[in-house]
Amino acid sequence: MKIKSLISVLGFIYALTACEGSAQKDTDYTIYHSRIIEAEELISQENYQAALTQYEDLFADYDFTFLRDYKIAAQISFLIGDKEKGLLYLKKAIANGWEWMELKEQKFLNQHLLAADWKSIEDQYEDLHGQFLNRVDASLRARVRAMFEKDQELAYEAYIIEDEQEQERFIAENFPKHSEAQIAKLLEILETKGYPGEYLIGNDFWVSTILSHHNSQGLEYVRTDTLFDFIKPKLKQYLKLGYISPYEIALPEDWKGSILSEGEDSPYGYLVPPNASNISQINKARRAIGLRSVELRNQLIVIEAKTGMSLYLPDWVEGKIEVQEN
């Protein structure tokens, strides 16, 4: 789909409505993510105290903290024997959206918390979770969730079609109109609210999934599509403002790269494994949006196995990302 029909309407909306997420406008989160990589390098070297100090300095410098980083700071605290600090960051994580069921299923936490600790956390959970609910835009969250669920329903309809040709025909007949309507809604949200990710709605995968579906409709569609290219600068803008994480940029981009290369390449090396000839370019692309290198990710996988911690690395690939031979 071409973007011309959308620009005039969205320009008018933007002129009438200032971006509501102004609290983030003066802080550069590209620096935030580069400092997270520095902390991860310390973790990979098993210098856990220095890594925790890096996280704590970061928390002091930024008003908004991504949930993943509180989760990791809590676990490092428990690992080095600072239970008081571990409980502090665990509670901050709950106030930032960590759900009770996920908490209880976290094996590492169960190794470090007593029944009395869990009782204390449970007693405070509703108040802490209420802080999260009060922070996010509930109306926008419900709207984006409905978009995501609609997207999933259509994707499931395609998934259950066993015949490959019939599946491709179903996608070609149904996805473009659906996806372009989704993108139009997203563009309106981007212009009037900001990127609806963890900062605004407390969720970091609904919209990236919608964009990934848009970018995986097949070579012919993706090759001629201009909507995603129109959105990309806005994603980069909101990355800097702290509305979107690097992961939410990487996944749709990897889908587009994989489709355009017919499965031979992807910009960040998730969907298509890197090889000796493109690993340098992949790491450069990762660094540009605040993602760790492939090598650092693989070192962190080793640390997870050694310590039992979860470092909440993207699970689009399981375990290490193996660099292929040319």
Side-chain angles (χ1 to χ4, degrees), residues 15 21 24-25 35 53 80 87 97 107 129 133 151 184 213 224-225 242 262 285 287 323-324:
Q24 296 288 88
K25 68 181 180 180
R35 290 172 64 182
T53 299
I80 63 176
L87 288 168
K107 293 180 181 178
H129 188 61
L133 295 177
D151 209 68
H213 283 161
T224 59
D225 174 59
E262 299 185 75
R287 186 167 57 251
V323 179
Q324 308 293 312

Side-chain angles (χ1 to χ4, degrees), residues 268-288:
Y268 301 103
Y270 284 111
L271 296 180
V272 181
N275 56 56
S277 64
N278 68 10
I279 184 65
S280 177
Q281 181 60 38
I282 284 172
N283 282 335
K284 181 179 179 181
R286 283 166 162 258
R287 186 167 57 251

